[in-house]
Amino acid sequence: MARIGLRLVERPNAVEASLWRRLRSDADLSCREHLFTLYVPFARAIAARERRRRPANGMERCDFEQLAFGGLLEAIDRYDPLQGAPFLAYAKHRIRGAVADGAARSSEASAQHHYRAKLEAERLSSLRAGQDPSRDALSELSELAALLAIGLLAEHAQQASVAETVSYERHEWRELTLNVVEEIELLPKAERSVMQHHYLNAVPFAQIAALLGLSKGRISQLHRAALTRLRERLRRFD
Amino acid sequence: MSVQCDDRELRNVLQAVQAQAPNAIEQIEALLGNCPQDPRLHFLRGSVLIGLGRHIEAHGALSQAVALAPDYDIARFQLGFFELTSGEAGNALQTWKALDRLPETDPLPKFVHGLTALIHDDFEACIQLLREGIALNAENEPLNRDMELVIDRCLPLIAPDAPEMVSETSLILGQLGARPGDASN
């Protein structure tokens, strides 16, 4: 049907009320889509305001809008048009809540990501500090990779319950994991402490240093020494 | 419990509505409590609810009036008009179909055909048909005013130099004096 004539007589409030009525009474999902389209600018404006109020934490404008649109859909699905409250007021609260919850989750994930990156940087720095400059680059790289791998193995061994190993893990891998756990227990006390605090509890070197009353540099040395010792001991099982 | 309420009581509540009494809707609903099958009361309630902006309930009330009295022509026309202004042109045409049986001397078919022309952007036909309906309608002045409003909105589209008259849509009251099934409401 043509639209100009209809626009002359349609009343926006009545049109919107019709959408709500048909959505609720007839489950007409096209009305849901119409209502969403109608309120996209509103949700977008809230997303922009919320973004200005918060540090980015790696979130872009589209991320805020996605959260706002999710809140808008939820509001549309839950709103009762016969309760009397205008939809704008009802939806504003839900959209802001959705953006706030999403931003908090992103912030936590971002914080965890940064924390993990910090730990990995510490490990790499610790291992590179003890490298022998007279050795060729390939040998150094090979040793570095091996020590990092031992560290990851230690992290896996410390954090996963041996009883929970999944069926797809090979027998040899599970044996190696068990060996790492046992060998860590046999390390000298200081090296054992560094390995357990860092790989089991994800404690940064600075805090381990404070815990053990040592310098951060000494912790770094102990870390490298522990991985080198583990590598030697694990060779016995080849 | 009687099907229709006493005419005197209906007149009283009509006066309350015309006087814009703050409890007009409550008075109507109290009467409905005694006469829930009276389509006139549902129609009146729907009309008042439109004025209050309670559109979802208004549609329900108007629909109930027509459901109770399918030959309540003015209620049927107003339900269709409400659907038209609510973006439900298809439903409006469906609602109005039963009015095709009315004679050429009745204004309602003229209004329906005029609004149908409007839906199809045939503004000249719309204006002509609505004017013909207005000329036939000597009993329902508020309805004539509503149709004149539509004409006023169409005029600039066929004569850009014509001045546009803007006024408020009046409450639909004059139609309530007639009983459902009357040939000319």
Side-chain angles (χ1 to χ4, degrees):
Chain A
M1 287 179 186
R3 292 296 306 172
I4 300 175
L6 288 173
R7 286 204 198 102
L8 293 179
V9 295
E10 284 177 355
R11 295 174 294 167
N13 288 345
V15 170
E16 183 178 342
S18 167
L19 291 172
W20 286 116
R21 171 172 48 83
R22 287 182 285 145
L23 175 61
R24 292 288 178 258
S25 64
D26 305 336
D28 186 344
L29 294 182
S30 69
C31 296
R32 183 174 187 258
E33 187 179 350
H34 275 121
L35 285 164
F36 179 82
T37 304
L38 191 64
Y39 283 105
V40 155
F42 175 65
R44 193 167 273 144
I46 292 177
R49 267 201 301 279
E50 294 300 311
R51 181 169 173 241
R52 284 193 295 271
R53 290 176 53 205
R54 288 180 168 75
N57 284 336
M59 288 180 67
E60 313 244 345
R61 185 191 72 177
C62 59
D63 297 319
F64 280 91
E65 288 184 353
Q66 185 177 358
L67 292 171
F69 294 156
L72 173 60
L73 272 175
E74 185 188 339
I76 289 173
D77 290 340
R78 291 177 181 237
Y79 177 65
D80 182 353
L82 292 176
Q83 282 301 313
F87 179 69
L88 281 178
Y90 178 86
K92 182 178 180 181
H93 171 72
R94 286 200 174 270
I95 293 170
R96 289 182 67 185
V99 172
D101 289 347
R105 280 195 302 273
S106 173
S107 179
E108 182 180 338
S110 176
Q112 287 177 358
H113 172 76
H114 285 304
Y115 190 77
R116 171 96 193 158
K118 181 181 173 185
L119 291 179
E120 289 173 355
E122 278 187 337
R123 293 170 192 173
L124 184 59
S125 177
S126 156
L127 296 176
R128 291 177 69 180
Q131 285 179 323
D132 182 353
S134 66
R135 293 175 65 179
D136 64 279
L138 191 59
S139 299
E140 284 297 317
L141 184 62
S142 176
E143 184 181 2
L144 187 64
L147 292 177
L148 283 171
I150 299 276
L152 287 174
L153 189 60
E155 187 175 30
H156 172 78
Q158 295 275 26
Q159 293 181 356
S161 162
V162 175
E164 291 172 355
T165 49
V166 296
S167 59
Y168 59 73
E169 285 192 351
R170 295 185 307 140
H171 172 74
E172 292 84 355
W173 179 260
R174 288 202 297 275
E175 282 290 312
L176 184 60
T177 304
L178 282 171
N179 292 334
V180 169
V181 173
E182 290 170 357
E183 292 301 327
I184 287 174
E185 289 294 324
L186 298 174
L187 288 171
K189 185 176 184 306
E191 290 177 17
R192 183 173 72 244
S193 292
V194 169
M195 289 299 292
Q196 287 175 339
H197 286 303
H198 189 72
Y199 287 101
L200 177 60
N201 298 322
V203 179
F205 286 178
Q207 285 173 295
I208 298 174
L211 185 65
L212 300 181
L214 301 170
S215 69
K216 187 179 170 188
R218 180 62 185 140
I219 298 298
S220 180
Q221 289 174 346
L222 288 169
H223 172 252
R224 181 182 171 87
L227 286 176
T228 303
R229 199 186 303 276
L230 281 173
R231 186 184 179 206
E232 291 303 316
R233 288 184 177 174
L234 289 172
R235 278 188 174 145
R236 291 188 287 113
F237 299 99
D238 286 344
Chain B
M1 194 175 288
S2 61
V3 174
Q4 293 198 341
C5 74
D6 182 76
D7 282 354
R8 184 166 50 86
E9 286 182 308
L10 180 60
R11 275 197 300 275
N12 288 341
V13 80
L14 266 175
Q15 285 171 0
V17 172
Q18 283 174 317
Q20 298 184 343
N23 66 339
I25 196 71
E26 285 81 7
Q27 291 187 37
I28 297 169
E29 288 169 354
L31 270 187
L32 266 171
N34 296 326
C35 309
Q37 304 297 313
D38 190 335
R40 298 173 303 170
L41 290 175
H42 288 285
F43 182 39
L44 176 60
R45 181 169 176 267
S47 302
V48 174
L49 288 171
I50 290 174
L52 293 173
R54 290 160 61 176
H55 297 118
I56 295 177
E57 295 166 275
H59 184 270
L62 295 177
S63 298
Q64 182 66 1
V66 173
L68 287 169
D71 291 341
Y72 194 178
D73 297 326
I74 189 60
R76 179 176 292 279
F77 174 80
Q78 292 295 357
L79 172 60
F81 189 58
F82 180 68
E83 288 170 336
L84 179 67
T85 61
S86 299
E88 297 177 57
N91 287 343
L93 293 174
Q94 189 66 30
T95 297
W96 286 331
K97 267 191 180 162
L99 300 176
D100 286 343
R101 77 187 198 288
L102 294 174
E104 282 289 308
T105 53
D106 195 298
L108 291 183
K110 294 287 185 185
F111 292 150
V112 168
H113 295 148
L115 293 171
T116 304
L118 176 74
I119 290 170
H120 293 98
D121 286 356
D122 188 349
F123 303 113
E124 291 189 0
C126 170
I127 291 169
Q128 179 180 338
L129 287 162
L130 292 185
R131 282 176 172 162
E132 288 175 8
I134 289 169
L136 290 171
N137 179 26
E139 297 177 0
N140 194 332
E141 198 50 42
L143 179 55
N144 278 348
R145 285 198 292 273
D146 287 346
M147 296 300 106
E148 282 166 0
L149 270 174
V150 177
I151 291 172
D152 292 341
R153 289 175 185 174
C154 292
L155 281 172
L157 298 177
I158 62 169
D161 296 333
E164 185 174 358
M165 296 168 60
V166 179
S167 60
E168 294 296 319
T169 301
S170 54
L171 184 63
I172 306 161
L173 291 175
Q175 305 112 28
L176 295 165
R179 291 180 183 276
D182 283 359
S184 60
N185 286 343

